[in-house]
Amino acid sequence: MTEKKTTTAGAALIWFGAGVSIAEILTGTYFAPLGFSRAVCAIILGHLIGCALLFGAGYIGALSRKSAMETTKSSFGSIGGRFFALLNVLQLVGWTGIMIYDGAASVNEIFSFSGWIWCLVIGALIILWVVIGVTNLGKVNVVTMSLLFLLTIVLCIIIFRGRSSFASFKADEVMSFGAAVELAAAMPVSWLPLMSDYTKDAEKPFAATLVSTIVYGLVSTWMYVIGMGSALLTGESGIAPIMVKAGLGIAALLIVILSTVTTTFLDAYSAGISAVSVKAKVNPRLAAIITAILGTTGACLFNMDDITGFLYVIGSVFAPMIAVQLASFFVLKSDSSEKGFDLINLIVWVLGFVFYRFMLDKDFILGITLPCMAATFILTIIAGKIRAAVTKRQ
């Protein structure tokens, strides 16, 4: 039986759903202290940096026809690849919990009820999406994305009609422009270890990867701007108050729940695929369902209001990882999948990780992802050339 491939339009719908996210709207509220113009510049610049990397990561999977974590084995070895797959599963469980928590908290502000009940509702819908499966979500996604598209346009109009009355948002600490760029880049970077899971089955590898990246980048930027605009308009850091004040009611409920489900489904689904990279005998759909259950449980039990630290942890782990992969795949054209470990590339990754963490308290106007990636990329090439020269002499 011929394996069902993802069309370019289908890929666009998947990544539209990934971009329409309450987490991204809430992250956008952090930009309000910069003021409208500077915040928009930081959001756009950060997304350009993050999405360029996202395209590179997705294109590796599209060309090799391998899942995101399977592609890591080509750069870090089979056991090294499992290490990153395990880290990815852990961060995806965390993302699932954060997304469900944010969605439930926002719904609870609109229709006050017990927060954990909304967690259970959203968690159950995510499991339903997993059961349907990514390649069978075509018609469901068309309907869902159409609703989301219309509802977010309504929300956007409400916010920017009041632009003349944008408040001077008061925050305990004003974010620097460089930190804002990094926070904008951090969201697309958080998708790096997942991108190939959806491009590997594309009918047209380049087109699907490019369209997915552009759609996600535009929609994510839009969500950030909506969050920032709502904070300036209301003086509050949540999106729910403006929905309530605007009288959106059921429409607001749909925006929150559907956007949470369509985004978090991708996290749970990819956790299942990454689990297979850790242990081949794992049932990916069952692993995805377990991820949704664990995320729902975490959302019910723990406070997850501030995710900036979590985003920076993801960036420090996966940005240098992708830099090593990009250099290995496109420049060095090396393949270490037959090895247990590629010690040299793992050492380069550790150096990239340390450099990212060191740069966290530094104020660089372009953020820290770009210099970290550039340094790691160049170091990987230098190390690879030296290794090739030594091997040739032996």
Side-chain angles (χ1 to χ4, degrees):
M1 185 174 66
T2 302
E3 186 179 355
K4 191 173 183 180
K5 298 294 184 182
T6 305
T7 64
T8 302
L13 284 172
I14 289 170
W15 287 96
F16 181 93
V20 181
S21 161
I22 292 300
E24 308 215 9
I25 292 175
L26 292 174
T27 304
T29 64
Y30 301 151
F31 290 71
L34 289 174
F36 184 82
S37 298
R38 293 186 75 227
V40 170
C41 288
I43 290 168
I44 292 174
L45 182 56
H47 276 81
L48 286 173
I49 294 169
C51 288
L53 304 176
L54 192 62
F55 173 82
Y59 198 41
I60 291 175
L63 292 175
S64 63
R65 297 297 184 183
K66 292 180 180 179
S67 67
M69 289 299 103
E70 284 298 310
T71 64
T72 63
K73 295 178 181 179
S74 298
S75 298
F76 299 100
S78 59
I79 298 175
R82 287 194 205 112
F83 167 71
F84 287 106
L86 180 60
L87 292 180
N88 192 39
V89 170
L90 293 176
Q91 71 107 356
L92 288 171
V93 171
W95 261 124
T96 301
I98 288 168
M99 296 299 297
I100 294 172
Y101 178 90
D102 285 343
S106 296
V107 171
N108 200 45
E109 288 189 58
I110 301 166
F111 293 94
S112 184
F113 205 56
S114 179
W116 66 268
I117 293 294
W118 290 120
C119 288
L120 293 178
V121 170
I122 294 171
L125 288 172
I126 293 167
I127 291 173
L128 176 61
W129 252 245
V130 170
V131 171
I132 293 172
V134 68
T135 55
N136 297 314
L137 277 170
K139 292 181 180 178
V140 175
N141 266 339
V142 168
V143 174
T144 303
M145 297 311 145
S146 297
L147 282 172
L148 286 174
F149 184 67
L150 291 172
L151 292 172
T152 49
I153 285 177
V154 170
L155 181 60
C156 199
I157 290 171
I158 291 169
I159 290 171
F160 292 102
R161 269 183 180 171
R163 182 179 172 182
S164 60
S165 60
F166 274 177
S168 178
F169 188 84
K170 294 180 180 179
D172 295 333
E173 184 177 347
V174 177
M175 185 186 302
S176 70
F177 185 83
V181 170
E182 182 59 26
L183 193 57
M187 198 64 79
V189 166
S190 74
W191 288 105
L192 289 178
L194 287 72
M195 185 67 163
S196 290
D197 295 344
Y198 306 96
T199 57
K200 70 182 178 67
D201 296 322
E203 287 180 350
K204 299 177 180 178
F206 180 81
T209 306
L210 182 63
V211 169
S212 297
T213 304
I214 291 173
V215 168
Y216 172 77
L218 290 174
V219 175
S220 178
T221 298
W222 183 16
M223 294 300 105
Y224 268 67
V225 172
I226 286 177
M228 179 268 296
S230 69
L232 287 172
L233 182 62
T234 65
E236 300 183 54
S237 59
I239 191 64
I242 194 170
M243 293 184 180
V244 173
K245 291 174 183 177
L248 288 179
I250 296 298
L253 182 68
L254 287 172
I255 291 174
V256 173
I257 291 181
L258 288 177
S259 64
T260 302
V261 171
T262 56
T263 304
T264 314
F265 154 73
L266 298 180
D267 294 322
Y269 178 82
S270 281
I273 294 176
S274 293
V276 175
S277 295
V278 178
K279 191 172 181 60
K281 293 182 179 179
V282 170
N283 182 314
R285 185 164 294 183
L286 178 60
I289 292 172
I290 291 172
T291 298
I293 292 171
L294 290 174
T296 303
T297 303
C300 291
L301 297 177
F302 303 110
N303 185 304
M304 302 180 184
D305 286 329
D306 187 355
I307 66 169
T308 54
F310 181 69
L311 285 172
Y312 291 144
V313 169
I314 292 173
S316 63
V317 171
F318 293 109
M321 181 198 81
I322 291 298
V324 172
Q325 286 188 257
L326 292 173
S328 298
F329 188 87
F330 290 109
V331 180
L332 300 173
K333 302 186 185 304
S334 60
D335 187 353
S336 300
S337 56
E338 298 300 319
K339 301 178 182 178
F341 293 99
D342 188 313
L343 186 58
I344 292 176
N345 281 349
L346 283 167
I347 290 172
V348 172
W349 170 77
V350 170
L351 293 174
F353 174 85
V354 171
F355 180 63
Y356 188 106
R357 302 305 299 182
F358 172 77
M359 289 289 288
L360 269 178
D361 60 350
K362 307 296 185 293
D363 188 18
F364 182 58
I365 194 169
L366 295 178
I368 56 179
T369 294
L370 189 61
C372 174
M373 294 283 291
T376 308
F377 184 86
I378 293 169
L379 188 56
T380 303
I381 294 172
I382 292 172
K385 295 291 186 183
I386 293 173
R387 173 164 51 184
V390 171
T391 302
K392 189 175 181 179
R393 287 180 182 178
Q394 291 176 346

